[in-house]
Amino acid sequence: MNNTEQQFLNDLDAKLWKAADKLRSNLDAANYKHVVLGLIFLKYVSDAFEERQESLLELFQNDDDNNIYYLPRDDFDSDEDYQQALRDELEVLDYYREANVFWVPKAARWNTLKEKAVLPIGSVLWQDDAGHDVKLRSVSWLIDNALEEIEKSNLKLKGILNRISQYQLDNDKLLGLINTFSDTSFTKPVYNGERLSLHSKDVLGHVYEYFLGQFALAEGKQGGQYYTPKSIVTLIVEMLEPYSGRVYDPAMGSGGFFVSSGKFIEEHAKEQHYDPAEQKKHISVYGQESNPTTWKLAAMNMAIRGIDFNFGRKNGDTFLDDQHPDLRADFVMANPPFNMKDWWSESLAEDARWKYGTPPKGNANFAWMQHMLHHLSPTGSMALLLANGSMSSNTNNEGEIRKRLIEEDLIECMVALPGQLFTNTQIPACIWFLTKDKSGKDGKKRDRRDQVLFIDARNLGYMKDRVLRDFTADDIRKVTDTYHAWQKGIGYEDISGFCASASFEQIEKHDFVLTSGRYVGVADAEEDNEPFPDKMQRLTAQLKSQFEDSARLEKAIKHNLVRIGYDW
């Protein structure tokens, strides 16, 4: 997007977060995120619904021979009848489902919330199906009613949307949030007099993602469990290129990998002049999450993006309650908790997933890896974020499992990441890329058998603040292009300190340790062409000048101390 659009989104983020953060005095981040994200969800589905209504209205009135939606004015006795027919057609549910737009009942539409929330408590809102008056109990009840109506009309969301009445928030605070969201143009936004090309899905999706990140920061370690840095998710998705097929994340959090996959497919479709909506139909997403709250957030996230999903019947422990036992996915991506200790159960002792060795009971790293391999199709590819220790540890069978994975030629690429990337841990991390087929039989890639690519990205990125590091788009492109060039055998070459292609024999010589630095070496130092006598003279003069500056500064400080009464 251009700078104006980016500035618009930044200003919008700040405005909405400031309004939402006022709830912090009443609720902690773990709870008020449900209130805010619930309202964002309602605003989005309502805006998307209204956008579809506007496009349908144009279709109904467009006299075109190829337009199957056209509703002729001549078929009606009066203009009043025609207008009523148009209104009736706009309430036909199938028109929305065919465009992958959630059906929003009248009681859940944003205009209804905005109009009814300002009424006195006890006011009659509407009549129910039995003809009884429905009265306003509170603003939180009005919001909960809207969420319930959406669940009734969209079975995929049954039991997903979190009710907010339990948090007992003042009507005025909720009304303030509703007004703030209402005052913001999510459809056809204008910024500094310029009409932006952003759609409501772009804007609301961005806001939802921003809020997930902010809540992760506000909650610290607990919140960080479901938030992977956007740049790392983007890096993994662009390296794997999940254009079509089944995509699985066994530790999905709020569904960040699926969101990035959807964006990637849309961009690819535009480049190839395909219809993005049609292209997205070629991919199906499967996920699992143990935390019930996060499981619901992920479903809401998919609904906002218009992504069809299967997250199992319920939240559940990935190892003990696999929600997709028969799944064989084309792409598997995950960022599970690092070095997870409390995961083992004796029921897992002879599990079929431990094909390459039983993982240690006190660390789930290689349990996650083998679970993902178990669910990978014979030609599938996967990416897994793990702590750096996974590349070299030899304790409790980890070294033997890693050796088996290398001997079976499953590992394709190792990427070492910089520190300070994650909100919830300072543990250095790496990305493992594995595949079950490196033969290149599909014709899209070369034969890569008995070879592993090592990329050392520890020196990439920038400090976005005093605590967190991040990748730029150029950093992501550098790593991705290197990986794809190596896979295809076109334009790749080893670069000291950054990337190296290693054979099985080389890895064996390093005792099957996969630390990237062992293979890429150190970057070549820049050649120094300055003659030594000239360099020595220049540096001596520079040092003399710095000593003189230091003496002047010391003298000035002593003078100022004497002036304010301190005897030096």
Side-chain angles (χ1 to χ4, degrees):
M1 63 184 68
N2 61 41
N3 290 335
T4 303
E5 291 170 341
Q6 189 62 61
Q7 190 58 50
F8 164 76
L9 291 176
N10 291 342
D11 290 351
L12 179 64
D13 290 340
K15 173 185 175 182
L16 296 182
W17 180 255
K18 183 178 179 181
D21 207 37
K22 292 178 181 177
L23 298 180
R24 191 193 291 251
S25 59
N26 299 77
L27 297 168
D28 60 31
N31 288 326
Y32 81 85
K33 71 165 175 268
H34 297 302
V35 179
V36 176
L37 294 175
L39 280 172
I40 291 174
F41 175 80
L42 285 173
K43 185 69 169 75
Y44 171 74
V45 295
S46 187
D47 279 8
F49 182 83
E50 287 180 9
E51 274 190 327
R52 178 61 176 162
Q53 280 193 320
E54 289 176 9
S55 62
L56 284 171
L57 197 56
E58 289 182 12
L59 289 170
F60 294 155
Q61 300 175 88
N62 182 12
D63 186 4
D64 188 324
D65 292 339
N66 298 319
N67 181 15
I68 60 173
Y69 297 92
Y70 178 53
L71 201 64
R73 166 67 181 83
D74 296 340
D75 290 353
F76 300 90
D77 295 332
S78 67
D79 189 62
E80 184 179 340
D81 290 343
Y82 178 58
Q83 295 300 325
Q84 184 59 50
L86 290 175
R87 287 192 290 271
D88 292 341
E89 283 293 297
L90 288 174
E91 297 297 324
V92 176
L93 184 146
D94 289 343
Y95 288 137
Y96 301 89
R97 290 193 173 161
E98 70 183 12
N100 204 21
V101 172
F102 273 94
W103 170 258
V104 183
K106 289 182 179 179
R109 294 173 194 171
W110 193 261
N111 282 337
T112 302
L113 287 180
K114 184 180 176 183
E115 292 170 6
K116 305 300 184 184
V118 297
L119 297 176
I121 302 301
S123 299
V124 176
L125 302 176
W126 52 73
Q127 289 189 324
D128 61 21
D129 294 338
H132 301 132
D133 289 343
V134 177
K135 297 181 179 180
L136 179 64
R137 304 175 198 171
S138 65
V139 177
S140 59
W141 172 86
L142 186 67
I143 294 168
D144 282 355
N145 183 72
L147 295 168
E148 186 173 342
E149 289 295 320
I150 287 178
E151 281 194 359
K152 286 179 183 176
S153 302
N154 302 278
L155 296 180
K156 198 86 173 178
L157 293 176
K158 185 67 177 175
I160 294 295
L161 305 180
N162 204 63
R163 308 300 189 262
I164 70 167
S165 292
Q166 60 185 304
Y167 303 119
Q168 300 179 335
L169 286 166
D170 293 338
N171 290 330
D172 289 343
K173 289 190 181 299
L174 290 173
L175 187 58
L177 268 181
I178 291 173
N179 287 336
T180 301
F181 281 26
S182 299
D183 291 343
T184 303
S185 176
F186 291 104
T187 55
K188 301 174 184 176
V190 176
Y191 186 72
N192 291 339
E194 179 182 340
R195 173 62 62 86
L196 306 181
S197 60
L198 297 171
H199 299 289
S200 63
K201 181 180 289 189
D202 302 319
V203 180
L204 266 296
H206 168 87
V207 169
Y208 193 88
E209 193 169 336
Y210 171 79
F211 270 65
L212 282 175
Q214 288 300 106
F215 284 124
L217 288 170
E219 291 182 68
K221 185 173 181 180
Q222 181 182 359
Q225 287 176 356
Y226 63 82
Y227 187 74
T228 308
K230 182 181 176 182
S231 61
I232 303 304
V233 174
T234 301
L235 174 66
I236 289 174
V237 169
E238 296 202 0
M239 289 178 75
L240 282 185
E241 297 185 305
Y243 292 132
S244 61
R246 299 171 298 274
V247 179
Y248 174 52
D249 183 347
M252 67 180 179
S254 57
F257 281 114
F258 302 135
V259 171
S260 284
S261 296
K263 289 179 181 175
F264 182 80
I265 292 166
E266 287 178 0
E267 290 304 313
H268 174 69
K270 290 175 185 175
E271 290 172 5
Q272 303 298 321
H273 305 291
Y274 300 147
D275 178 2
E278 283 298 315
Q279 190 70 14
K280 283 172 77 172
K281 291 179 181 178
H282 295 287
I283 197 162
S284 51
V285 302
Y286 299 81
Q288 179 146 356
E289 172 60 40
S290 61
N291 185 302
T293 297
T294 312
W295 185 74
K296 292 180 178 181
L297 288 177
M300 289 170 63
N301 207 0
M302 297 305 101
I304 277 179
R305 313 289 181 158
I307 298 173
D308 193 28
F309 62 93
N310 181 346
F311 292 163
R313 293 173 291 103
K314 58 184 178 64
N315 62 290
D317 185 292
T318 300
F319 300 122
L320 299 174
D321 188 13
D322 191 346
Q323 293 290 299
H324 309 285
D326 301 321
L327 175 65
R328 295 298 177 267
D330 301 290
F331 302 96
V332 185
M333 303 176 278
N335 173 26
F338 293 169
N339 303 324
M340 188 170 142
K341 292 180 173 59
D342 299 324
W343 73 280
W344 179 258
S345 167
E346 288 306 317
S347 63
L348 297 172
E350 303 297 328
D351 199 288
R353 288 171 287 186
W354 316 146
K355 184 177 178 180
Y356 307 99
T358 304
K361 298 178 181 180
N363 192 319
N365 286 344
F366 284 96
W368 286 110
M369 187 176 295
Q370 293 191 83
H371 171 87
M372 292 168 69
L373 281 167
H374 176 77
H375 283 289
L376 195 63
S377 72
T379 58
S381 299
M382 60 174 266
L384 173 63
L385 270 161
L386 284 180
N388 275 358
S390 62
M391 297 187 289
S392 58
S393 172
N394 288 313
T395 59
N396 299 319
N397 208 35
E398 288 186 333
E400 285 302 311
I401 296 173
R402 187 173 57 252
K403 180 181 177 182
R404 283 283 309 278
L405 294 171
I406 297 167
E407 290 174 338
E408 296 287 337
D409 204 15
L410 293 166
I411 299 169
E412 180 161 50
C413 179
M414 300 294 300
V415 179
L417 297 173
Q420 296 178 271
L421 285 172
F422 300 90
T423 58
N424 61 324
T425 180
Q426 295 301 311
I427 297 175
C430 59
I431 312 174
W432 293 62
F433 288 87
L434 295 89
T435 183
K436 289 187 175 180
D437 184 6
K438 293 160 73 174
S439 68
K441 288 184 294 187
D442 61 1
K444 297 177 181 178
K445 300 166 187 172
R446 67 180 178 88
D447 187 341
R448 293 132 19 242
R449 284 175 286 191
D450 291 327
Q451 297 176 58
V452 176
L453 175 65
F454 291 89
I455 297 177
D456 191 343
R458 289 177 297 174
N459 293 323
L460 298 183
Y462 69 102
M463 294 302 296
K464 60 190 294 186
D465 55 38
R466 290 182 299 173
V467 179
L468 288 174
R469 193 175 188 87
D470 203 1
F471 279 159
T472 66
D474 287 340
D475 294 328
I476 293 171
R477 191 177 302 111
K478 180 178 182 180
V479 175
T480 300
D481 289 350
T482 300
Y483 179 58
H484 293 157
W486 176 83
Q487 284 183 318
K488 296 173 183 176
I490 301 173
Y492 172 81
E493 61 179 24
D494 289 352
I495 301 174
S496 296
F498 177 64
C499 63
S501 184
S503 66
F504 173 83
E505 289 75 18
Q506 289 174 291
I507 296 172
E508 187 177 29
K509 287 179 181 177
H510 285 286
D511 296 323
F512 300 98
V513 169
L514 297 176
T515 307
S516 294
R518 294 196 177 202
Y519 302 91
V520 304
V522 296
D524 294 332
E526 292 185 12
E527 188 175 352
D528 189 354
N529 295 318
E530 186 178 10
F532 178 76
D534 294 346
K535 186 174 185 178
M536 191 64 186
Q537 185 177 358
R538 175 176 59 81
L539 292 176
T540 303
Q542 183 179 335
L543 183 61
K544 181 181 178 182
S545 174
Q546 290 171 342
F547 280 152
E548 290 172 352
D549 289 342
S550 175
R552 281 195 297 270
L553 182 60
E554 182 181 346
K555 184 177 179 181
I557 292 172
K558 289 179 178 179
H559 176 70
N560 288 333
L561 286 172
V562 171
R563 286 182 59 193
I564 61 175
Y566 286 91
D567 186 11
W568 185 259

